Amino acid sequence: MGTQYLHIPHYDALSDKPILGESPKAESGKLLKVLSTIVFTFIFVLSFVALIISRQQGHEQALTSGNQDVNGSKRSYSEGVSAKSNPSVSNENVSFNWTDSMFLWQRSAYHFQPEKNWMNGPLYHNGWYHLFYQYNPDSAIWGNITWGHTVSRDLIHWLYLPLALVPSKWYDINGVWTGSATLLPNGQIRMLYTGDTDEFEQVQCLATPANLSDPLLLNWVKSDANPVILPPSGIGHKDFRDPSTAWTGPDGTYRILIGSKHNTTGIAMVFQTTNFTTFDLLPGILHSVPGTGMWECVDFYPVAVNASVYLDTSAYGPGIKHVLKASIDNLQEDYYAVGTYHPVNHTWTPDYPELDVGIGLRYDYGKYYASKTFYDQNKSRRILWGWTRETDTAADDLEKGWASVQTIPRTVLFDNKTGVGITEWPVEELESLRINSTEFSEIVVEPGKVVHLDIGSADQLDITAEFEIDLLESTSEEDDIECGVGSDHRSSLGPFGILVLADEKLTELTPIYFRPTNASNSTLNHYFCVDESRSSLATGVYKKVYGTQVPVLEDEKLSMRVLVDHSVVESFSQGGRRVITARVYPTEAIYGAAKLFLFNNATQVNVKVTLKVWEMESADIHPYPL
């Protein structure tokens, strides 16, 4: 175990015999390596057989179904939330000559996803975390949306349960769409969801557990009062969806948000209820932002200004701010803003108008959408769930028999160090999967160098890294190039970072990097970026350079945490101040060929890196033995 120094400006392909330098000492723990390999091989064989059977059955079913749209047109144009969004390539053909082994590798090992097919209100009840998710039981592309249901003791290991809600009534026959759970003080649960009617109108519906004493909440009853909310006058019948979790107003009544739009202005409307079967639209709107279009999957919750405690959804008062979030349908991105809630007149004002919903901060600057938070009363914390879709083609999804993944649950706190925005961080339970750690201290990476980190298997990792720069010569002010056209776009101070899911010759790689740039006021702007442009030799896969400016305080080092789980890569900068989720589909850098590297493509700085790398076990995700 150790490191290899390679001179590779601009990531030119490695020669057969690269130039090697001294290897900084790595402290590694490789206990039970042989046993782990044997167990993994056994599980691999079983999973491989199961995947082939599932893929063949799912593909045959989809091809014989007359109502599937392989192009995956956006639900916003005909029905609602997007299904398959791939803006640069056609969805009609497979993007590469994939093998079953490649498809098996792409499936995540410690992120939740259904056994097969397509997916998109969490809660905690009687010792179990419940995740309800939008699911197509018939195919790996969007359609026939029902509510899948899974439970966990720890948010990491999951048990599949039978479907919770299926289209069965006139008011939801065309889809049981997004909703939210509300836990009442007496222990009762109220689940509101959007139904797509027999006339393709979006209405809000109520469901409750058939047996509240059942910790698994296996059976749900749709209310006889459904639909409980119809689109108000002036609101499009296809622009009214996704009720939020309810909170209590100062008058003791419950309030919920529903997203919509008026022309091109995104809006969040407030409805009031005492019983969850009859609702009144309160005067005005909570908030609106012109030009942002349809708001869906709206969320609204309090955060403590001192960032020391998590708050129940109904909390308000001194020392409390509120986060308003909307999934922007036109962009397929989740935006949020922090501001002040005015419960008397049912409005909310952003702290910084230039960072308003839809034009300012995002939960995640990568492939991430349709998120939802819930208050975990078990550990007194707020948890954020999000969805990352595939960025290959719909035909690929049909071939492999599944699509879409839930990101790792994240805790959410107000960022009291900057006073702007929130921080997101993987739940602490994820660390239970860490094994075989390797530490590297103060590795110096010179300009134009790439350093191989010999850690063994590199496709299931949890990486923490800190970076310091040593200026070799004075630099002048540069254009603020942000993330540039990618990691091979060199400048004086960057980019530098890590290469994940890279093969030995660097023909495939996914750089995660920082790019500092000189600002006009003699300070540095820092950008945090993920470059998918060379992540795969498959030409039909969507690849993009993601990035954003990240605040870095004077007493902070540049830091990142990266979760690598096969085709899912989640990257957190500066303690979760900025996050980027990427989907990558390498053809060479898979299984044992996946490597980890450091790189420095700056021209005038040395970079000193200290990092720790854990291999990650697979989560135990399987059907509940009912």
Side-chain angles (χ1 to χ4, degrees):
M1 296 298 165
T3 59
Q4 296 175 317
Y5 287 81
L6 310 173
H7 292 270
I8 312 174
H10 305 287
Y11 308 131
D12 293 334
L14 290 173
S15 62
D16 292 335
K17 297 181 179 180
I19 301 173
L20 303 181
E22 292 186 8
S23 300
K25 185 177 180 180
E27 300 178 0
S28 176
K30 296 295 180 182
L31 300 177
L32 303 180
K33 181 71 174 181
V34 175
L35 180 59
S36 298
T37 302
I38 295 173
V39 172
F40 172 78
T41 302
F42 177 69
I43 296 174
F44 172 90
V45 173
L46 292 179
S47 301
F48 185 59
V49 173
L51 177 76
I52 294 174
I53 296 172
S54 172
R55 183 181 66 81
Q56 290 175 342
Q57 292 175 341
H59 192 198
E60 291 171 1
Q61 185 176 27
L63 292 178
T64 57
S65 174
N67 62 356
Q68 296 297 340
D69 176 11
V70 176
N71 289 310
S73 60
K74 288 178 65 177
R75 195 181 90 178
S76 59
Y77 296 126
S78 61
E79 298 178 81
V81 173
S82 72
K84 183 75 178 179
S85 178
N86 193 329
S88 67
V89 295
S90 169
N91 285 330
E92 295 180 354
N93 301 307
V94 293
S95 62
F96 189 77
N97 186 26
W98 303 107
T99 66
D100 288 324
S101 178
M102 290 177 175
F103 279 144
L104 178 60
W105 181 90
Q106 292 174 10
R107 191 170 174 88
S108 64
Y110 60 86
H111 285 71
F112 173 79
Q113 61 185 125
E115 292 179 275
K116 61 179 182 177
N117 299 338
W118 191 90
M119 64 165 291
N120 185 18
L123 62 90
Y124 180 83
H125 175 71
N126 281 3
W128 292 94
Y129 292 100
H130 293 253
L131 175 63
F132 303 91
Y133 54 93
Q134 291 191 6
Y135 178 59
N136 182 354
D138 297 332
S139 177
I141 57 178
W142 191 88
N144 188 31
I145 294 303
T146 67
W147 273 28
H149 187 189
T150 185
V151 292
S152 173
R153 293 287 193 184
D154 60 5
L155 294 169
I156 301 300
H157 305 286
W158 293 91
L159 300 172
Y160 300 120
L161 293 177
L163 299 178
L165 293 172
V166 301
S168 62
K169 304 292 185 178
W170 69 267
Y171 50 78
D172 63 11
I173 196 63
N174 281 306
V176 177
W177 292 353
T178 301
S180 300
T182 299
L183 304 181
L184 304 185
N186 62 3
Q188 296 292 311
I189 299 174
R190 298 292 181 264
M191 189 75 76
L192 293 171
Y193 69 92
T194 297
D196 191 14
T197 74
D198 53 0
E199 296 183 352
F200 298 99
E201 180 181 36
Q202 295 170 9
V203 297
Q204 313 314 316
C205 308
L206 172 67
T208 56
N211 179 8
L212 198 60
S213 64
D214 174 14
L216 298 182
L217 300 177
L218 289 175
N219 299 303
W220 292 79
V221 178
K222 297 177 182 179
S223 173
D224 292 337
N226 284 339
V228 295
I229 312 177
L230 300 175
S233 175
I235 295 298
H237 289 180
K238 297 182 180 181
D239 302 321
F240 181 66
R241 53 183 177 265
D242 309 336
S244 73
T245 297
W247 72 94
T248 306
D251 58 359
T253 63
Y254 291 101
R255 302 173 185 186
I256 66 166
L257 286 186
I258 298 178
S260 186
K261 68 176 181 178
H262 179 68
N263 295 324
T264 61
T265 296
I267 63 175
M269 298 174 287
V270 184
F271 290 80
Q272 179 177 266
T273 185
T274 59
N275 55 17
F276 287 86
T277 57
T278 58
F279 288 80
D280 295 315
L281 174 62
L282 294 178
I285 55 176
L286 182 84
H287 194 58
S288 65
V289 180
T292 55
M294 177 65 198
W295 287 8
E296 54 188 4
C297 301
V298 291
D299 202 6
F300 189 61
Y301 56 90
V303 289
V305 172
N306 61 14
S308 62
V309 295
Y310 298 89
L311 299 174
D312 176 81
T313 306
S314 295
Y316 69 93
I320 295 176
K321 292 184 179 292
H322 275 74
V323 174
L324 175 60
K325 169 262 171 181
S327 297
I328 306 300
D329 187 34
N330 293 342
L331 301 175
Q332 296 293 290
E333 295 168 350
D334 280 10
Y335 281 80
Y336 78 94
V338 178
T340 301
Y341 173 44
H342 311 283
V344 176
N345 62 1
H346 330 300
T347 60
W348 171 91
T349 305
D351 287 347
Y352 301 94
E354 69 275 16
L355 298 177
D356 210 341
V357 179
I359 61 175
L361 299 173
R362 291 166 53 184
Y363 275 164
D364 190 301
Y365 290 80
K367 191 59 65 175
Y368 183 91
Y369 197 63
S371 59
K372 170 66 183 172
T373 69
F374 79 103
Y375 180 71
D376 172 18
Q377 75 273 25
N378 179 44
K379 290 193 172 183
S380 300
R381 57 185 175 175
R382 181 159 295 276
I383 294 176
L384 170 66
W385 276 100
W387 168 63
T388 178
R389 73 182 70 120
E390 307 301 313
T391 55
D392 54 2
T393 68
D396 289 338
D397 297 343
L398 289 173
E399 279 290 317
K400 65 189 177 187
W402 56 269
S404 303
V405 180
Q406 291 285 344
T407 56
I408 293 299
R410 306 168 184 174
T411 56
V412 175
L413 282 171
F414 179 67
D415 184 5
N416 63 348
K417 291 184 178 181
T418 65
V420 180
I422 60 173
T423 60
E424 307 165 37
W425 200 247
V427 293
E428 61 185 3
E429 290 88 342
L430 179 66
E431 297 172 14
S432 66
L433 298 180
R434 289 173 169 176
I435 56 172
N436 300 338
S437 65
T438 306
E439 296 186 54
F440 301 88
S441 297
E442 298 187 345
I443 301 174
V444 177
V445 187
E446 297 175 356
K449 281 193 174 182
V450 173
V451 180
H452 177 225
L453 301 176
D454 187 2
I455 59 163
S457 177
D459 56 7
Q460 289 178 215
L461 301 176
D462 187 351
I463 306 164
T464 60
E466 290 186 338
F467 302 81
E468 298 177 83
I469 60 176
D470 179 21
L471 190 63
L472 299 179
E473 56 184 276
S474 61
T475 61
S476 58
E477 181 182 337
E478 297 179 306
D479 292 335
D480 200 357
I481 57 176
E482 302 182 359
C483 290
V485 295
S487 57
D488 58 353
H489 186 178
R490 304 188 74 178
S491 61
S492 299
L493 304 179
F496 53 82
I498 66 176
L499 307 176
V500 302
L501 299 176
D503 67 316
E504 184 177 12
K505 294 184 177 181
L506 299 185
T507 55
E508 290 182 329
L509 46 86
T510 300
I512 303 158
Y513 59 95
F514 290 103
R515 185 189 292 276
T517 61
N518 283 314
S520 58
N521 58 358
S522 300
T523 62
L524 291 179
N525 291 329
H526 296 88
Y527 294 89
F528 183 55
C529 318
V530 176
D531 180 3
E532 296 177 340
S533 61
R534 292 183 61 180
S535 61
S536 175
L537 296 177
T539 57
V541 170
Y542 179 56
K543 304 163 194 171
K544 183 177 179 179
V545 179
Y546 297 106
T548 176
Q549 187 172 350
V550 55
V552 181
L553 305 183
E554 288 187 4
D555 61 344
E556 293 179 342
K557 296 179 181 179
L558 292 172
S559 65
M560 66 171 70
R561 180 179 180 184
V562 179
L563 306 177
V564 180
D565 187 6
H566 299 264
S567 64
V568 185
V569 180
E570 294 186 64
S571 303
F572 302 78
S573 173
Q574 304 310 114
R577 200 168 286 153
R578 297 292 187 269
V579 188
I580 301 174
T581 298
R583 300 301 309 276
V584 296
Y585 307 88
T587 64
E588 302 286 344
I590 59 176
Y591 296 110
K595 309 294 182 183
L596 177 66
F597 297 83
L598 299 175
F599 80 95
N600 176 12
N601 223 15
T603 61
Q604 298 181 26
V605 296
N606 285 338
V607 179
K608 185 167 63 177
V609 190
T610 295
L611 69 162
K612 189 170 184 178
V613 183
W614 292 267
E615 292 183 41
M616 297 290 281
E617 290 185 311
S618 298
D620 188 7
I621 303 175
H622 60 81
Y624 192 92
L626 297 174

